[in-house]
Amino acid sequence: MNLTWDKRAREVAYLLNPAFCGEVIRRCIEAYQQTARQSMPFPLIFLILPIVLHKSTRETMPRTARGHMYSWLQENPHIKVGFAQRARNLIQVSKEAQTFLMQFNTLTVDVQAELSVSRRRRPRIPALEQGEVSDCFKKAELLGKWFANAGSSITIYTMWGVKP
């Protein structure tokens, strides 16, 4: 998906805009930081959107992070079908969201290539507290907790059947 904005279908540009995708990524990283008490490894940024934005994957995810990601993937092997292609397709979108977050000083990358988000007070927007958008945000937070407890980036990529 290396298309400039004027070449993208309007629906794709609206749904995969940097502000929304950035918020999904930000919530995932923040949950990772709170759980692991450290910054998130950079390579994981490219797994967030293909997991959270894929509706059937998102709907299959549990409500809480009590279980382990590995166990969930073992119980739901169909989740990995087509994942590698989805991940490839969303690389550019992930990069755009990362750039957006960095422009607003919300995301930093340190010299060890680890990601941190600043703690900022988010305005309460009632429209975002329900429906599919809210579900994406909640699952991004769950994913951040799972990532924090799943091991190294290489281990997580291996669980998903892709290479960094």
Side-chain angles (χ1 to χ4, degrees):
M1 177 173 294
N2 281 332
L3 298 175
T4 59
W5 278 95
D6 60 331
K7 301 271 192 261
R8 293 181 189 179
R10 183 176 291 153
E11 295 79 14
V12 171
Y14 288 157
L15 293 172
L16 300 179
N17 72 76
F20 171 69
C21 292
E23 182 62 8
V24 169
I25 289 170
R26 189 199 67 74
R27 286 176 184 246
C28 184
I29 296 170
E30 183 176 57
Y32 182 100
Q33 282 178 217
Q34 290 172 349
T35 304
R37 301 197 189 289
Q38 65 184 31
S39 301
M40 188 175 90
F42 180 78
L44 295 180
I45 199 170
F46 298 107
L47 299 180
I48 299 168
L49 297 180
I51 294 170
V52 173
L53 298 183
H54 187 249
K55 189 172 184 171
S56 65
T57 299
R58 190 175 62 249
E59 289 176 344
T60 306
M61 292 170 78
R63 298 184 85 166
T64 68
R66 285 190 201 132
H68 295 280
M69 183 171 56
Y70 180 77
S71 301
W72 174 75
L73 284 168
Q74 292 298 101
E75 293 167 6
N76 298 283
H78 64 280
I79 293 299
K80 293 192 279 186
V81 174
F83 179 75
Q85 186 61 48
R86 280 197 315 276
R88 261 190 303 279
N89 290 343
L90 289 170
I91 288 172
Q92 184 63 32
V93 175
S94 296
K95 287 179 181 180
E96 290 168 358
Q98 172 196 347
T99 301
F100 179 85
L101 291 171
M102 292 177 83
Q103 286 176 333
F104 286 94
N105 297 318
T106 302
L107 177 69
T108 58
V109 182
D110 66 20
V111 294
Q112 286 85 27
E114 293 191 341
L115 304 165
S116 298
V117 293
S118 61
R119 295 196 184 271
R120 292 187 175 202
R121 197 174 135 236
R122 293 186 305 245
R124 187 169 173 264
I125 304 170
L128 299 181
E129 295 176 6
Q130 58 190 356
E132 199 164 358
V133 171
S134 174
D135 193 40
C136 287
F137 293 161
K138 288 175 187 170
K139 297 306 180 174
E141 292 164 2
L142 181 145
L143 184 63
K145 293 173 186 175
W146 267 358
F147 281 171
N149 292 317
S152 70
S153 297
I154 293 169
T155 301
I156 294 169
Y157 267 78
T158 302
M159 282 184 213
W160 283 91
V162 293
K163 294 180 184 178

